[in-house]
Amino acid sequence: MALPSACGCAISTIDPDPDRNSLSDPGYETGSLGISSVSLSSSVQSYIFENGRRYHRFREGAYPFPNDEREQEREAMIDAVILEMCQQLHFAPIGANPQKILDLGTGIGIWALRMGDLYPSSSILGVDLSPIQPTWVPPNVKFVVDDVESLWLQPLDHFDYIHTRHMAPAIRNWPGLMQQALDHLKPGGWFEVQEIHHYPQCHDGSIPLNYPVTQFWDSIIEALAALGVDLMATRVLVEVMRRVGFVNITMRTFYIPIGPWPKNKTLKRAGLEWRTILSDGLQSTALGPLTRGLGWTKEQVEVKLVEVRNAYMDDGVHCYMPLHIIYGQKPRASVTK
């Protein structure tokens, strides 16, 4: 059965598999992005611990998800699934020799490091609230601890390419972020957003009524809204980018299955990996938002997660999550005669 089209992009078919069980320090720069950029020798290296999980200390509470080793391992798995689905690191046509690249919300820094290998003559800056990136990095890759929603102090018209991914659960002001990206790109530069729409979709009506997984994500949406974050902003990012002033905007959509139900072997493998990521990450996804945003206790959260884990294992439910790749260009400078 064909999946619904988004923004006119071509969609391939995902067919359910009747045999569901088959499976064929030198790296850091200080004070570089904004007024809040600080040295790693300061307190940003410390953390806070809450309900048995570790969270960032710098701009405490801005990102309601843990940054401990368990979550870092899960982030690496997410990166692997996206790379398997997309088969490339970026889609914006940045040319063979981009000079200055900015990675917003770099996390453990995998994408920035891979871009450093791919474009050895470029200078790549990765920014995150947590100092969880490697300290030994290639000479063309730097990391800085900063809040990307603070005022940027980099020069205007500075970057050739700005990239962000997995930021929908954290960004409170997408228009503000995109405006800063536009201002700090060189004329003709590109901004690319790679975001998974974190809500189960279904094309064949196999989601049952009162499905615990959709109920879970409804609660996460409500909790994040109470914390000032619109998790569903992925649906309007193209329009936000257009309103800010980007041109030549393109969106491509990939569909990541939840579980090994597709016939296609690549999608089957990706679906199994994605279900593992979602299931193993239930606690890290839920604890911060539900306790901080909705006032749940840790015990209430853990009880809820039991039924959600069980529901994820039902291969008769053919769900997926869209991965949106959206990129736009800063208009080129007009020529004055």
Side-chain angles (χ1 to χ4, degrees):
M1 183 177 295
L3 293 173
S5 176
C7 288
C9 59
I11 306 299
S12 59
T13 297
I14 301 181
D15 294 318
D17 186 352
D19 184 7
R20 301 188 187 103
N21 296 320
S22 68
L23 281 174
S24 337
D25 243 16
Y28 282 92
E29 183 175 295
T30 61
S32 76
L33 185 66
I35 55 175
S36 58
S37 297
V38 289
S39 167
L40 285 191
S41 62
S42 72
S43 62
V44 297
Q45 295 183 85
S46 64
Y47 304 97
I48 63 170
F49 292 84
E50 182 178 295
N51 292 317
R53 302 301 298 265
R54 191 188 75 183
Y55 297 82
H56 67 96
R57 169 75 68 181
F58 178 65
R59 292 293 173 91
E60 183 178 332
Y63 184 71
F65 305 99
N67 64 7
D68 48 33
E69 290 190 6
R70 274 193 289 167
E71 187 63 7
Q72 292 176 44
E73 291 171 358
R74 197 172 77 96
E75 183 179 331
M77 292 176 63
I78 293 172
D79 184 84
V81 169
I82 290 179
L83 189 58
E84 182 176 24
M85 295 290 293
C86 296
Q87 296 295 304
Q88 58 196 76
L89 294 174
H90 66 87
F91 289 83
I94 61 177
N97 191 33
Q99 292 301 295
K100 290 183 170 61
I101 297 174
L102 175 62
D103 184 26
L104 303 174
T106 194
I108 58 176
I110 291 180
W111 185 90
L113 292 171
R114 286 179 172 153
M115 287 291 283
D117 289 337
L118 186 61
Y119 298 104
S121 65
S122 66
S123 175
I124 299 170
L125 177 63
V127 183
D128 201 90
L129 286 167
S130 295
I132 56 174
Q133 303 79 31
T135 53
W136 294 101
V137 299
N140 65 330
V141 178
K142 301 288 185 182
F143 295 114
V144 66
V145 175
D146 202 355
D147 181 354
V148 301
E149 292 197 84
S150 296
L151 180 66
W152 300 6
L153 295 187
Q154 285 280 358
L156 301 179
D157 304 333
H158 183 70
F159 295 102
D160 297 284
Y161 174 55
I162 299 176
H163 164 272
T164 185
R165 63 160 58 167
H166 311 325
M167 294 291 276
I171 298 300
R172 290 166 169 77
N173 181 6
W174 278 104
L177 181 69
M178 290 191 181
Q179 184 64 61
Q180 292 212 81
L182 184 73
D183 292 342
H184 289 81
L185 280 169
K186 297 175 182 176
W190 292 88
F191 178 53
E192 180 166 341
V193 178
Q194 300 183 2
E195 289 294 337
I196 295 171
H197 185 71
H198 283 88
Y199 197 85
Q201 313 286 307
C202 181
H203 62 281
D204 63 0
S206 59
I207 290 184
L209 293 175
N210 302 317
Y211 186 42
V213 173
T214 52
Q215 292 175 340
F216 168 77
W217 284 105
D218 285 336
S219 296
I220 297 299
I221 291 168
E222 181 184 0
L224 287 175
L227 298 174
V229 175
D230 180 8
L231 186 60
M232 298 292 99
T234 49
R235 298 175 299 184
V236 298
L237 292 182
V238 169
E239 182 58 29
V240 173
M241 192 176 288
R242 182 177 293 113
R243 288 179 181 176
V244 166
F246 285 97
V247 298
N248 299 323
I249 299 170
T250 301
M251 183 169 91
R252 298 186 61 172
T253 301
F254 297 83
Y255 295 91
I256 308 178
I258 303 174
W261 55 266
K263 284 183 178 179
N264 179 279
K265 290 183 179 180
T266 298
L267 293 176
K268 180 187 292 293
R269 182 171 59 252
L272 182 59
E273 293 168 349
W274 187 241
R275 184 175 69 183
T276 300
I277 289 167
L278 293 175
S279 181
D280 289 353
L282 279 172
Q283 189 193 66
S284 61
T285 301
L287 267 180
L290 294 181
T291 58
R292 299 177 187 182
L294 297 185
W296 292 24
T297 65
K298 181 183 179 182
E299 291 71 26
Q300 287 175 314
V301 173
E302 296 292 358
V303 169
K304 177 65 175 178
L305 298 188
V306 172
E307 64 174 359
V308 180
R309 285 192 185 92
N310 291 335
Y312 268 134
M313 300 308 294
D314 184 355
D315 292 336
V317 180
H318 302 152
C319 287
Y320 59 89
M321 288 183 175
L323 164 62
H324 299 306
I325 312 293
I326 308 166
Y327 52 95
Q329 187 177 31
K330 179 173 181 172
R332 297 185 183 277
S334 58
V335 178
T336 304
K337 297 183 178 180

